[in-house]
């Protein structure tokens, strides 16, 4: 009997060992919802994380402080969720990993200069850093750092075009939008070789659509649809007709993948600040932007289950908000968040 | 505008009517601007520090003295770093800093950095609370600080002095001063230098594992010189020339979050030269004419990149008349031409601001005085409405050993848009002047008897600032807009008791408290919240004792919690700092020497004025002064 018991335990251990990692993710407090990025005010370094629960439709604020017993203390530039590990990028020089479902700290590296984005690629945690400013407020020594994903120690560093702003993992390669150069850099995390895809304007954000195409946006008012296999631009959409409305770089796709939503900012003749969300139908080669919603101090957007989520930074004056709209532009609700609410990261 | 012109005309008419009456009162004396201005500020709360305060804080900056006044909040961005002042819950650009009659506030920023005013450069300080644009012009929504570089006296005397000090964190200071005077001349010259490596230790609580660190990239030095010349010409005329050069070079102390980070600090170079020539003539027994011309040069060089060069010419003329037995009237005109060269603006910016003003002070009875003031500024495109003020001040009949004085004042003030608000980076051409409304009541009592002297002062106020400018931030860059309204109310109370135990032993204790509510009234999510960085509660106490040539002083000051965000859900922790000082003075013939030992932050309290900007712990300072005085 004892022999069978050992055999049973051996089989059981094999079963657990072979279970795909995503199925081992324990369910926890932060599971069915999304994280809200409260960037924080520069002088107060009071960035924080909020959590929107889909089930209760409520926002839980100060997630980091309540789970880790100390303030986050930083300018929260980006949140990235990868399974049960979430990366927090602090523009003041800190990259930190936390366990997604509990939001407790796993590791941290406080020695960066000006980090902007991060993701996991191959066996690395990759960090995009603008590097220091020179005497002309430029960043000529921007870099990508490759870190041990557990200890967050830097194992490799390569130079990159100026101001790497947004990272995207496409077919195992890291696509980098560099907002001070007119190209996308494509980096292999294996041999660290860099290839470039030239663009007419500097890109500030890159995203993947449902069909596996890469979309890049320039804050100067241009969108590109790129085939990542052959690395060519399939379509260019100019948004310059919206001037003086200017895209702020934030865009998202609906779940069907046939519409793209983007955000603009504008000062009117009395210098009152206004924000707008437009919809582009991707079934057309040159779609005309359709106005969906209008407000002020909007900084980021996300779409989930036919709901448009808008981050409102409240002009950095006190706490920001998340506003919920239908995709037709009807307001559903608003919820108070932390300081300078700027974006979202879905837990999936 | 029409109302203003009518008002001015009415004032001038009064002047002509009452100028025909004979006067038995003393003539307007040739005096400093601060004294002249406060003559028309009946009803306003006006305070000045003890001369011992200025002496005891030599080697520090103006903010150290002003921070001791109840209701005055200093926002200091580190030791020796940028410091701004706000009165009674108003903003950093709602205080006018007046040096020898000249507004020190930068036309580009609309405020003054108090760390650029070392106490070595001033001889007298007065503080006027409440709206005072009617008397002084733009920026005076919360209050006015009057600085004088010299107090002239026309008596034969020669004084030479040297002062030097050494303090913790590699801090050094020296001052050389000379005064020569006779019946016709008064000449004062000063030169000073002050520097600090600012390498104090602090607990860096922003680290994931908090640790003790040394503050880096926060060193500074400043140096300067003053020259003040007064010439009495005949019995009725005084000419004066006052000049002040100052220069500060510093690293801007970084936040604790990035302390020690290579290439993560900024620098700031400030240089200024201010010169004022003034002629005061008593034309008759009833009239004093004063004309002045000033030239002001400021250069701000930020992070070795952005330059701001500001050149100003300021002309002022006024007549002060003593009419009949009870009326004092001052009417005047002033012009301020400003030129700004900066790589932050697309072109050289120039403008001319003109002011017309009138002030009236009337003794309704020997113990009841009323003041009325009116000012109109003319500035193309940004002209504010007229600024009036009305004040009343009366002495109650003496009751036993008690003497009470009560006061009341209402005023309307304004702040003209700064150059940055209009032009940087593109500015807002639609920006409007900020408007302040202020009302206050107060009473001061003094008790003198053999038991000692007891003094007390209580002030109650309410104010409102409309069209408060807030900088909007977006992906398009910053832009200012008149989008905030703030209402403030509160009170200040202070009391002191002093007693001479023997001829060579005196003691004094004092205490004060300020309650300040500055409430956001704008209809937004922060409505009804307290304005950030305005402490609701602030209190301090002091004990002094003097025995023969020794003086000892202990003071403790409490600053309550301050919200760092308009949403009021986070605050910078309250703190209480204590300081101790011991001084010894010795006179030998024409020589006077004084040595002073001071411990700041005696209990080594870790505190922050601004969130995550470290402040020094316990520090020690030793100063000595040697003065040579010769009288005929």
């Amino acid at each position: 009997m004892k022999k069978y018991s050992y055999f049973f335990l051996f089989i059981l251990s094999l079963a657990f060992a072979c279970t795909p990692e995503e199925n081992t993710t324990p369910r926890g407090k932060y599971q069915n919802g999304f994280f809200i990025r409260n960037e924080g005010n520069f002088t107060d370094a009071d960035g924080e994380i909020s959590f929107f629960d889909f089930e209760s439709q409520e926002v839980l604020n100060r997630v980091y402080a309540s789970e880790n017993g100390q303030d986050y203390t930083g300018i929260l530039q980006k949140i990235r969720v990868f399974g049960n590990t979430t990366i927090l990028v602090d523009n003041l020089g800190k990259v930190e990993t936390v366990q997604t479902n509990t939001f407790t700290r796993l590791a941290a590296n406080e020695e960066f200069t000006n980090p902007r984005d991060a993701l996991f690629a191959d066996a690395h945690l990759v960090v995009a850093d603008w590097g220091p400013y020179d005497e002309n407020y430029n960043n000529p020594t921007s870099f990508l750092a490759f870190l041990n994903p557990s200890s967050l120690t830097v194992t490799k560093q390569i130079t990159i075009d100026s101001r790497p702003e947004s990272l995207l993992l496409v077919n195992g390669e890291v696509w980098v939008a560099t907002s001070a150069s007119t190209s996308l850099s494509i980096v292999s995390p294996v041999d660290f070789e860099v290839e470039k895809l030239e663009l007419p304007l500097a890109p500030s954000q890159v995203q993947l659509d449902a069909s596996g195409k890469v979309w890049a946006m320039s804050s100067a008012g241009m969108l590109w649809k790129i085939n990542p296999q052959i690395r060519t631009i399939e379509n260019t959409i100019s948004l310059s007709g919206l001037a003086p409305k200017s895209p702020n770089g934030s865009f998202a796709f609906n779940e069907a993948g046939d519409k793209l939503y983007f955000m603009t900012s504008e000062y009117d003749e009395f210098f009152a600040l206004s924000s707008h969300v437009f919809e582009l139908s991707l079934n057309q080669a040159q779609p005309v932007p359709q106005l969906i919603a209008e407000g002020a101090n909007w900084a980021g957007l996300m779409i989930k289950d036919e709901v448009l989520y808008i981050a409102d930074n409240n002009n950095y004056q006190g706490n920001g908000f998340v506003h919920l709209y239908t995709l037709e532009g009807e307001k559903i609700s608003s919820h108070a968040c932390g300081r300078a609410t700027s974006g979202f990261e879905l837990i999936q | 505008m029409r109302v203003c012109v009518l008002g001015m005309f009415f004032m001038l008419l009064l002047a002509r009517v009452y100028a025909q009456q004979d006067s038995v009162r003393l003539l307007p004396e040739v005096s400093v601007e601060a004294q002249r201005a406060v003559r028309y500020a009946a009803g306003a709360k006006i305070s000045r520090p003890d001369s011992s305060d200025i002496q005891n804080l030599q080697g520090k900056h103006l903010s150290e003295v002003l921070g001791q006044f109840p209701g005055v909040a200093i926002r200091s961005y580190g030791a020796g770093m940028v410091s701004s002042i706000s009165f009674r819950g108003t903003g950093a650009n709602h205080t006018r800093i007046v040096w020898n009659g000249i507004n020190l506030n930068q036309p580009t920023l609309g405020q003054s950095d108090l760390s650029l005013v070392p106490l070595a450069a001033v001889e007298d300080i007065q503080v006027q609370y409440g709206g005072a644009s009617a008397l002084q012009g733009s920026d005076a929504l919360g209050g006015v600080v009057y600085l004088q570089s010299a107090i002239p006296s026309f008596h034969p005397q020669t004084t030479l002095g040297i002062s030097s000090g050494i303090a913790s964190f590699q801090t050094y200071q020296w001052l050389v001063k000379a005064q020569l005077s006779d019946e016709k001349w008064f000449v004062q010259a000063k030169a000073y230098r002050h520097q600090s490596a600012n390498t104090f230790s602090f607990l860096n609580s922003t680290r994931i594992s908090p640790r003790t660190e040394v503050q880096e990239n926060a060193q500074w030095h400043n140096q300067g010189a003053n020259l003040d010349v007064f010439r009495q010409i005949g019995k009725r005329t005084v000419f004066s020339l006052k000049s002040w050069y100052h220069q500060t070079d510093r690293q801007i102390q970084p936040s604790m979050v990035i302390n020690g980070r290579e290439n993560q600090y900024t620098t700031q170079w400030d240089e200024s030269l201010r010169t004022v020539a003034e002629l005061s003539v008593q034309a008759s027994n009833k009239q004093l004419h004063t004309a002045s011309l000033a030239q002001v040069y400021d250069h701000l060089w930020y992070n070795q990149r952005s330059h701001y060069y500001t050149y100003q010419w300021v002309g002022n003329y006024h007549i002060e008349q003593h009419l009949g037995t009870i009326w004092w009237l001052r009417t005047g005109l002033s012009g301020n031409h400003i030129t700004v060269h900066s790589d932050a603006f697309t072109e050289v910016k120039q403008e001319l601001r003109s002011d017309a003003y009138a002030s009236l002070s009337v003794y309704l009875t020997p113990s009841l005085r009323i003041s009325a003031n009116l000012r109109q500024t003319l500035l193309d495109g940004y002209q504010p409405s007229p600024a009036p003020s009305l004040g009343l001040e009366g002495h109650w009949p003496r009751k036993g050993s008690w003497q009470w004085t009560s006061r009341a004042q209402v005023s309307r003030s304004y702040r003209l848009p700064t150059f940055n608000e209009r032009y940087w980076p593109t500015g807002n051409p639609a920006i409007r002047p900020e408007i302040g409304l202020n009302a206050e009541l107060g009473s001061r009592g003094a008790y003198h008897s053999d038991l000692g002297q007891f003094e007390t002062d209580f002030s109650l106020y309410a104010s409102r600032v409309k069209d408060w400018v807030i900088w909007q931030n977006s992906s398009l860059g910053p832009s200012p807009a008149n989008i905030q309204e703030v209402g403030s109310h509160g009170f200040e109370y202070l009391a002191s008791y002093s007693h001479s135990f023997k001829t060579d032993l005196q003691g004094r204790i004092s205490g004060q408290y300020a309650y300040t509510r500055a409430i956001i009234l704008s209809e937004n999510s922060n409505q009804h919240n307290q304005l950030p960085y305005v402490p609701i509660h602030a209190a301090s106490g002091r004990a002094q004792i003097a025995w023969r040539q020794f003086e000892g002083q202990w003071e403790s000051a409490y600053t309550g919690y301050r919200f760092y965000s308009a949403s009021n859900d986070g605050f910078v922790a309250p703190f209480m700092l204590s300081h101790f000082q011991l001084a010894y003075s010795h006179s030998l013939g024409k020589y006077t020497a004084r040595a002073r030992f001071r411990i700041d932050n005696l209990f080594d309290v870790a505190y922050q004025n601004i969130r995550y900007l470290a402040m020094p712990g316990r520090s020690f300072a030793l100063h000595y002064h040697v003065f040579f005085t010769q009288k005929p």
Side-chain angles (χ1 to χ4, degrees):
Chain A
M1 182 62 195
K2 200 170 183 180
K3 194 184 293 178
Y4 288 114
S5 297
Y6 281 128
F7 179 74
F8 176 73
L9 282 173
F10 175 67
I11 295 297
L12 193 67
S13 66
L14 277 181
F16 271 102
C18 297
T19 304
E21 190 184 335
E22 56 268 29
N23 294 336
T24 65
T25 304
R27 294 193 65 79
K29 195 172 178 182
Y30 308 108
Q31 197 75 35
N32 183 28
F34 59 87
F35 292 121
I36 301 168
R37 180 167 62 88
N38 303 301
E39 184 180 316
N41 190 37
F42 182 78
T43 50
D44 298 322
D46 56 348
E48 246 294 356
I49 296 92
S50 303
F51 174 72
F52 187 96
D53 191 314
F54 286 135
E55 198 170 316
S56 66
Q57 292 285 298
E58 288 180 354
V59 170
L60 184 63
N61 287 317
R62 291 179 60 78
V63 167
Y64 186 94
S66 61
E67 302 297 350
N68 292 281
Q70 66 182 131
D71 288 341
Y72 175 68
T73 314
I75 304 300
L76 188 56
Q77 190 70 32
K78 197 80 84 167
I79 305 175
R80 292 286 210 146
V81 174
F82 294 88
N84 203 27
T85 302
T86 292
I87 309 171
L88 306 176
V89 180
D90 167 13
N91 187 225
L92 296 179
K94 181 175 60 186
V95 173
E96 193 170 353
T97 50
V98 295
Q99 194 165 311
T100 303
N101 60 346
T102 61
F103 225 81
T104 49
R105 185 186 309 119
L106 295 170
N109 182 328
E110 300 177 87
E111 303 301 323
F112 285 93
T113 305
N114 203 346
R116 309 290 291 191
D117 200 356
L119 49 66
F120 287 108
D122 195 45
H124 308 283
L125 190 157
V126 185
V127 175
D129 194 310
W130 279 17
Y133 290 93
D134 70 3
E135 63 274 12
N136 298 312
Y137 273 119
N138 295 321
N139 304 86
T141 54
S142 299
F143 60 90
L144 287 191
F146 296 82
L147 284 63
N148 178 308
S150 299
S151 64
L152 300 194
T153 51
V154 177
T155 55
K156 174 79 178 173
Q157 188 168 308
I158 63 170
T159 57
I160 199 84
D161 283 353
S162 181
R163 298 189 174 176
E165 183 67 45
S166 174
L167 299 179
L168 183 67
L169 189 65
V170 184
N171 301 328
E173 293 177 312
V174 181
W175 287 51
V176 188
T178 48
S179 59
S181 76
T182 56
S183 63
L184 284 167
S185 295
I186 301 156
V187 183
S188 164
V190 179
D191 58 14
F192 309 109
E193 291 294 316
V194 181
E195 293 183 36
K196 290 189 183 177
L197 175 63
E198 296 299 322
L199 296 172
L201 294 168
S204 58
Q205 291 294 324
V206 278
Q207 285 198 47
L208 212 56
D209 71 10
S211 65
K213 299 292 169 61
V214 173
W215 287 77
M217 177 179 258
S218 165
S219 296
M222 199 163 279
L223 265 168
W224 301 279
K225 182 183 181 184
I226 299 163
N227 184 328
Q229 311 295 338
I230 53 177
R231 295 181 184 177
T232 55
I233 298 171
E234 287 188 348
N235 192 18
T236 299
I237 301 171
S238 173
L239 306 172
S240 58
L242 293 173
K245 295 179 178 64
S246 171
N248 68 6
S250 182
F251 67 100
F253 302 96
N254 65 348
E255 273 126 347
D258 60 346
K259 287 178 180 167
L260 182 150
Y261 296 81
F262 67 95
M263 191 173 267
T264 63
S265 299
E266 180 187 11
Y267 285 123
D268 70 10
E269 58 185 315
F270 301 107
F271 276 75
L273 183 63
S274 61
S275 308
H276 304 83
V277 173
F278 288 92
E279 174 193 281
L280 287 177
S281 174
L282 300 183
N283 296 324
Q284 303 162 29
Q286 291 300 315
V288 178
Q290 303 295 318
L291 180 63
I292 297 296
E294 183 174 1
N297 305 309
W298 290 354
L301 80 171
M302 182 185 79
I303 293 164
K304 174 66 177 170
D305 295 335
E306 301 294 303
V307 175
L308 173 64
Y309 295 88
I310 292 173
D312 176 346
N313 67 25
N314 197 15
N315 192 29
Y316 296 76
Q317 305 292 312
N319 286 337
F321 300 90
V322 53
H323 303 300
L324 277 63
Y325 281 78
T326 67
L327 291 184
E328 289 71 42
E330 282 184 32
K331 192 167 184 178
I332 302 168
S333 61
S334 287
H335 307 265
C337 302
R339 189 84 169 271
T341 305
S342 304
F344 312 104
E345 181 72 3
L346 191 64
I347 303 167
Q348 51 188 348
Chain B
M1 179 60 196
R2 183 173 292 172
V3 174
C4 170
V5 171
L6 285 173
M8 299 294 285
F9 178 76
F10 176 67
M11 290 294 189
L12 289 169
L13 188 67
L14 278 177
R16 287 198 60 78
V17 170
Y18 285 94
Q20 293 165 14
Q21 298 181 8
D22 289 331
S23 168
V24 292
R25 277 189 171 264
L26 293 173
L27 294 169
E29 63 194 46
V30 176
S31 58
V32 293
E33 166 61 22
Q35 291 163 357
R36 287 199 293 259
V38 300
R39 179 176 288 156
Y40 300 95
K45 178 181 175 182
I46 294 167
S47 302
R48 69 194 319 161
D50 293 343
S51 56
S52 63
D53 280 351
I54 299 178
Q55 193 177 35
N56 288 334
L57 290 169
Q58 279 296 332
K60 301 204 176 222
H61 298 103
L62 182 61
S63 54
E64 307 279 347
V65 171
L66 297 180
Q68 296 181 347
F69 288 92
V72 172
I74 302 292
R75 279 180 74 166
S76 171
Y77 289 77
M81 299 294 128
V82 170
S83 297
S84 63
I85 180 174
S86 65
F87 280 75
R88 295 173 166 175
T90 54
N93 47 16
H94 295 155
T95 300
R96 188 170 171 112
I97 312 287
V98 180
W99 174 82
N100 291 324
I102 303 301
N103 183 12
L104 290 190
N105 287 353
Q106 297 272 346
T108 48
L109 297 170
Q111 57 183 273
S112 293
D113 176 1
L114 302 183
S115 72
L116 302 180
V117 185
L119 288 174
V122 296
E123 293 286 321
D124 185 58
I125 300 167
Q126 280 196 81
V127 168
Q128 179 178 344
Y129 287 72
S133 286
L135 264 179
Q136 290 295 327
S138 179
D139 308 347
L141 278 73
V144 181
V145 177
Y146 299 97
L147 307 174
Q148 295 297 143
S149 56
I151 309 297
S153 62
F154 294 100
H155 306 292
Q157 183 169 305
T158 301
T159 303
L160 295 171
I162 185 166
S163 165
S164 184
I166 183 169
S168 302
F169 322 127
Q170 300 176 58
T171 304
Y172 309 98
Q173 170 244 336
W174 59 257
L175 163 70
V176 179
K177 177 179 174 180
Q179 268 183 12
L180 298 167
S181 60
D182 60 18
E183 290 80 3
K184 293 181 177 178
W185 289 92
F186 176 88
V187 179
Q188 176 184 280
K190 284 197 241 179
Y192 58 84
R193 182 179 167 87
H194 196 182
Q195 67 184 64
S196 178
N198 229 357
T199 47
F200 58 89
S201 299
F202 67 97
L203 178 67
N204 195 337
S205 57
T206 69
R207 304 294 186 207
I208 286 174
S209 302
R211 60 184 187 234
T212 299
E213 294 181 8
V214 173
Q215 180 66 55
E216 295 184 32
N217 303 321
Q219 59 181 294
W220 55 268
H221 71 77
N222 59 48
Q223 53 202 348
N226 295 64
L227 178 65
D228 296 84
V229 180
F230 291 76
R231 171 76 165 98
Q232 183 132 12
I233 305 165
K235 291 184 177 177
R236 292 176 176 271
T237 303
V238 171
F239 173 77
S240 65
L241 184 71
K242 301 149 197 159
S243 193
W244 176 25
Y245 171 81
H246 179 85
Q247 180 250 309
T248 293
D249 190 7
R250 60 188 157 183
Q251 295 173 315
I252 302 297
Q253 180 180 325
S255 159
M256 294 159 71
V257 183
I258 56 171
N259 181 50
R261 192 81 53 75
E262 198 178 354
N263 298 320
Q264 287 280 46
Y265 66 91
T266 51
T267 59
Q268 185 171 321
W269 161 282
D270 291 274
E271 185 181 39
S272 58
L273 176 63
R274 293 131 177 159
T275 305
V276 188
E278 184 178 278
L279 185 69
S280 293
V281 180
Q282 285 186 343
S284 71
N285 288 349
K286 300 170 186 173
Q287 283 190 349
L288 176 71
H289 296 258
T290 303
S292 65
L293 182 65
Q295 211 267 337
V296 180
Y297 160 78
D298 290 298
H299 176 201
L300 189 158
W301 187 23
Y302 184 74
N303 219 18
Q304 302 189 329
R305 295 180 188 130
S306 303
H307 290 274
Y308 284 88
Y309 295 96
T310 308
Y311 305 89
Q312 295 185 71
W313 285 97
V314 187
N316 188 44
Y317 170 72
H318 64 250
I319 310 172
E320 191 166 10
Q321 299 176 91
H322 186 203
L323 312 168
T325 56
I326 59 170
W327 299 76
W328 295 77
L329 176 69
R330 184 166 77 153
T331 51
L333 297 167
S334 71
N336 184 8
H337 185 268
I338 306 168
T339 305
V340 179
H341 297 256
S342 173
D343 39 25
F345 304 148
T346 52
E347 57 187 8
V348 175
K349 301 294 182 187
Q350 295 190 62
E351 72 175 30
L352 176 65
R353 300 177 180 184
S354 306
D355 283 32
Y357 55 90
S359 297
L360 183 68
S361 188
V362 185
Y363 283 86
L364 300 175
T365 72
S367 58
L368 185 63
R369 183 164 67 106
I370 187 169
S371 286
N373 301 279
L374 184 67
R375 177 178 292 256
Q376 176 66 62
T377 294
L378 304 175
L379 175 61
D380 266 357
Y382 304 99
Q383 191 166 308
S385 302
S389 73
L390 184 67
L392 190 66
E393 192 170 290
H395 301 287
W396 296 93
R398 177 180 286 273
K399 272 192 173 180
S401 300
W402 278 100
Q403 175 70 61
W404 287 95
T405 304
S406 296
R407 57 182 186 267
Q409 183 186 252
V410 290
S411 64
R412 184 179 192 278
S413 298
Y414 62 90
R415 181 180 74 81
L416 294 172
T418 66
F419 277 58
N420 278 354
E421 287 164 355
R422 282 181 277 162
Y423 306 120
W424 184 84
T426 58
N428 179 355
I431 202 85
R432 300 184 301 277
E434 294 178 346
I435 300 299
L437 304 170
N438 179 260
E440 66 178 281
L441 294 168
S443 198
R444 178 171 293 184
Y447 174 91
H448 295 266
S449 79
D450 294 340
L451 296 173
Q453 296 179 26
F454 180 75
E455 292 182 12
T456 180
D457 190 286
F458 180 77
S459 295
L460 188 67
Y461 65 89
S463 68
R464 181 169 290 203
V465 179
K466 297 179 175 178
D467 286 337
W468 187 311
V469 174
I470 294 290
W471 282 83
Q472 304 171 107
N473 291 294
S474 76
S475 56
L476 302 170
S479 180
N482 300 90
I483 54 176
Q484 185 160 270
E485 183 171 343
V486 174
S488 301
H489 63 272
F491 66 89
E492 295 130 14
Y493 178 74
L494 65 87
S496 69
Y497 172 74
S498 54
H499 184 69
S500 294
F501 299 96
K502 297 176 184 174
T503 52
D504 59 356
L505 180 63
Q506 292 94 37
R508 182 174 187 268
I509 55 170
S510 60
Q512 58 189 35
Y513 169 78
Y515 172 80
T516 309
R517 292 308 308 266
I519 309 294
I520 296 170
L521 302 176
S522 320
E523 290 183 7
N524 58 37
S525 59
N526 302 317
Q527 192 176 24
H528 308 311
N529 288 350
Q530 177 84 353
L531 208 62
Y533 286 109
V534 176
I536 296 174
H537 305 285
S540 66
R542 178 188 290 185
Q544 295 164 284
I545 192 160
W547 177 67
R548 296 180 181 171
Q549 292 138 305
F550 292 92
E551 296 165 47
Q553 178 176 301
W554 176 290
E555 57 182 294
S556 294
Y558 170 81
T559 302
Y561 63 88
R562 291 133 293 142
F563 297 110
Y564 57 79
S565 160
S567 53
N568 284 190
D569 60 350
F571 59 83
V572 183
F575 59 87
M576 187 159 86
L577 302 180
S578 297
H579 317 291
F580 173 74
Q581 178 172 290
L582 193 61
Y584 173 76
S585 303
H586 186 70
S587 294
L588 190 65
K590 296 171 182 174
Y591 293 90
T592 304
R594 178 180 157 91
R596 180 166 57 88
F597 174 68
R598 183 178 173 91
I599 307 174
D600 282 306
N601 194 357
L602 185 65
F603 298 115
D604 204 23
V605 173
Y607 71 104
Q608 295 163 21
N609 279 315
I610 305 293
R611 195 176 194 223
Y612 297 146
L613 277 171
M615 296 299 287
R618 184 187 301 115
S619 65
F620 304 91
L622 183 62
H623 289 258
Y624 74 88
H625 314 257
V626 179
F627 278 86
F628 165 83
T629 304
Q630 184 171 32
K631 297 178 182 177

